[in-house]
């Protein structure tokens, strides 16, 4: 499978254009003085790029996808676990808004009742679940991005790139949520039901004894409702924000930016994307939190009971959490790519064939 995807990856517009030019031995200028043909020339910038960018694998290769998946494990597993205290308070605000009346009040009540250790409840299912989700989310996104861009063709992939980002991220998240659902269900039980269980080892067997496998997967449909719009926004908004930052904000081309400067752009774009992610996914997040706490309830019943105002409880905490989370995830993911020397293509450029059709070139 990976070999066929690798073959497709070389021809799609999301590969690095300058590296493709170097690989094909094309010259920089479009015309040259008449004379005997000589060896292909490289422009200085292309030659510099070929020296600087010594990648450990090809874009779209099996190693590339595996290491992208590893980057997803590290970025999602660590960041979600680090934010367990905030996530715990947010869940309790959604489930019992009368008791936990705000983010600061929620922390205060939790500390009084459970102490400092209580803020770490649910860390194990959070780490395991979101590590598995990160593997599928980032790894499969890269796979589907290559596959869909090849299906569209070079020109359409550029013109419809936002739709491509949305489709690739939605496809990846579909599988990521199946991997996440069991641990998410256990986490919510531990965090929102005092006395039910304090650890994953206690919660999982108890849940299985009470409801069977249904206990772990009854929240998968609401998870799709929450996570698929979230991930579509996360990837599409990030990709287009990076493109806009390099075009309108960063005072020099991406090729002239250092790795550290590129990672700063990644972080800023990630935070902007995270704010929008939090807003579009919050109503479904409220339903998931209540649904995993209660036995025998359906998503439609919970949604009807919460009402319009109820599904937006805890939004401020979620914006802080998801904005920071998304920025850190993209920063860590991109840093993993830098560490393993993976291809990190610049924002896509209009293909030459499309420029000719639109009359943008002589």
């Amino acid at each position: 499978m990976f070999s066929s995807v690798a073959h497709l990856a070389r021809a799609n517009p999301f590969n690095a254009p300058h590296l493709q030019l170097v690989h094909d031995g094309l010259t920089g200028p479009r015309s040259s003085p008449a004379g005997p043909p000589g060896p292909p020339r490289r422009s200085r910038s292309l030659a510099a790029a070929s020296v600087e960018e010594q990648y450990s694998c090809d874009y779209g290769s099996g190693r590339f996808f595996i290491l992208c998946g590893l980057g997803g494990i590290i970025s999602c597993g660590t960041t979600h676990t680090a934010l367990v205290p905030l996530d715990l308070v947010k869940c309790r605000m959604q489930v019992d808004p009368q008791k936990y009346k705000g983010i600061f009040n929620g922390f205060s009540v939790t500390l009084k009742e459970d102490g400092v250790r209580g803020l770490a409840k649910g860390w194990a299912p959070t780490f395991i679940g979101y590590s598995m989700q990160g593997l599928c989310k980032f790894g499969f996104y890269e796979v589907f991005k290559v596959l869909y861009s090849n299906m569209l063709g070079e020109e359409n992939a550029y013109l419809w790139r936002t739709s491509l980002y949305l489709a690739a991220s939605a496809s990846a998240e579909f599988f990521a949520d199946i991997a996440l659902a069991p641990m998410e269900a256990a986490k919510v039980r531990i965090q929102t039901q005092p006395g039910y269980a304090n650890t994953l080892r206690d919660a999982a067997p108890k849940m299985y004894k009470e409801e069977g496998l249904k206990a772990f997967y009854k929240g998968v449909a609401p998870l799709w409702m929450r996570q698929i719009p979230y991930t579509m926004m996360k990837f599409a908004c990030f990709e287009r924000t990076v493109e806009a930052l390099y075009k309108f904000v960063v005072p020099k081309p991406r090729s002239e930016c250092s790795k550290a400067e590129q990672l700063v752009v990644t972080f800023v774009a990630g935070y902007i994307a995270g704010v929008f992610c939090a807003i579009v996914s919050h109503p479904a997040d409220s339903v998931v939190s209540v649904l995993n706490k209660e036995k025998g309830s359906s998503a439609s019943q919970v949604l009807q009971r919460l009402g319009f105002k109820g599904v937006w409880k805890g939004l401020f905490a979620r914006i802080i959490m998801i904005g920071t989370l998304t920025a850190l995830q993209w920063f860590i993911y991109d840093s993993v790519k830098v560490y393993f020397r993976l291809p990190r293509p610049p924002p896509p450029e209009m293909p030459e064939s499309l420029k000719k059709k639109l009359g943008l070139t002589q």
Side-chain angles (χ1 to χ4, degrees):
M1 172 189 171
F2 285 138
S3 60
S4 61
V5 174
H7 175 72
L8 301 177
R10 298 188 187 99
N12 83 80
F14 300 100
N15 201 349
H18 61 275
L19 293 178
Q20 189 65 37
L21 289 171
V22 172
H23 180 268
D24 292 342
L26 299 179
T27 60
R30 292 182 60 83
S31 60
S32 58
R41 292 181 297 160
R42 301 179 186 179
S43 69
R44 290 184 179 181
S45 61
L46 296 184
S50 66
V51 172
E52 294 173 3
E53 303 291 342
Q54 297 296 324
Y55 296 135
S56 63
C57 62
D58 293 330
Y59 179 78
S61 65
R63 177 181 170 83
F64 174 80
F65 292 131
I66 290 170
L67 290 176
C68 284
L70 176 61
I73 291 174
I74 296 171
S75 67
C76 291
T78 55
T79 51
H80 276 278
T81 304
L83 292 174
V84 161
L86 185 59
D87 185 45
L88 180 146
V89 172
K90 182 263 302 176
C91 284
R92 290 185 174 182
M93 287 168 60
Q94 292 169 330
V95 171
D96 191 355
Q98 299 301 320
K99 183 176 180 180
Y100 303 93
K101 298 177 181 179
I103 183 170
F104 298 109
N105 175 261
F107 271 106
S108 177
V109 173
T110 301
L111 284 170
K112 286 179 182 177
E113 293 183 348
D114 301 327
V116 176
R117 290 186 63 182
L119 292 174
K121 276 187 175 180
W123 74 267
T126 297
F127 178 74
I128 297 170
Y130 282 93
S131 292
M132 296 304 296
Q133 187 208 39
L135 169 66
C136 299
K137 185 197 297 272
F138 284 93
F140 286 170
Y141 173 71
E142 300 287 357
V143 172
F144 284 118
K145 187 175 168 183
V146 169
L147 289 175
Y148 293 162
S149 63
N150 181 71
M151 290 168 62
L152 289 171
E154 185 181 29
E155 293 180 4
N156 285 329
Y158 175 80
L159 291 172
W160 295 90
R161 59 193 182 280
T162 301
S163 298
L164 188 149
Y165 301 145
L166 293 170
S169 57
S171 301
E173 189 60 35
F174 176 85
F175 296 101
D177 290 341
I178 295 173
L180 169 65
M183 294 296 105
E184 179 74 359
K187 182 204 77 168
V188 172
R189 291 285 182 96
I190 293 169
Q191 290 183 339
T192 62
Q193 288 188 324
Y196 184 83
N198 289 321
T199 66
L200 177 61
R201 286 179 297 177
D202 295 334
K206 193 171 182 180
M207 291 169 64
Y208 182 76
K209 184 177 179 181
E210 291 176 351
E211 300 180 65
L213 286 175
K214 181 184 176 183
F216 299 100
Y217 286 99
K218 71 176 184 178
V220 72
L223 262 181
W224 283 328
M225 290 166 54
R226 180 187 82 184
Q227 290 297 131
I228 289 179
Y230 163 84
T231 301
M232 291 169 72
M233 184 66 72
K234 175 178 181 174
F235 283 86
C237 186
F238 172 79
E239 297 270 21
R240 293 310 298 260
T241 301
V242 167
E243 193 175 330
L245 288 174
Y246 280 115
K247 188 175 182 180
F248 300 110
V249 178
V250 180
K252 55 186 176 181
R254 180 182 184 273
S255 58
E256 296 178 12
C257 295
S258 66
K259 291 290 191 297
E261 290 170 334
Q262 291 176 15
L263 289 173
V264 170
V265 173
T266 296
F267 184 86
V268 172
Y271 209 103
I272 293 171
V275 172
F276 290 100
C277 289
I279 295 170
V280 301
S281 63
H282 189 73
D285 181 64
S286 298
V287 174
V288 170
S289 296
V290 176
L291 190 65
N292 281 323
K293 178 191 175 185
E294 298 179 353
K295 299 178 186 177
S297 295
S298 66
S300 59
Q301 290 171 336
V302 171
L303 186 60
Q304 188 175 15
R305 189 167 68 253
L306 288 175
F308 179 80
K309 187 176 180 181
V311 297
W312 294 105
K313 285 283 186 180
L315 178 61
F316 178 67
R318 185 166 169 78
I319 285 176
I320 295 173
M321 174 183 164
I322 297 300
T324 306
L325 191 76
T326 306
L328 288 173
Q329 284 179 357
W330 277 115
F331 182 83
I332 294 169
Y333 180 65
D334 220 19
S335 298
V336 170
K337 281 187 168 182
V338 169
Y339 179 79
F340 286 110
R341 295 182 293 109
L342 300 183
R344 297 166 56 245
E349 298 178 1
M350 185 180 292
E352 288 297 324
S353 59
L354 187 57
K355 289 181 180 179
K356 289 180 181 177
K357 287 182 181 179
L358 297 176
L360 301 178
T361 57
Q362 293 291 329

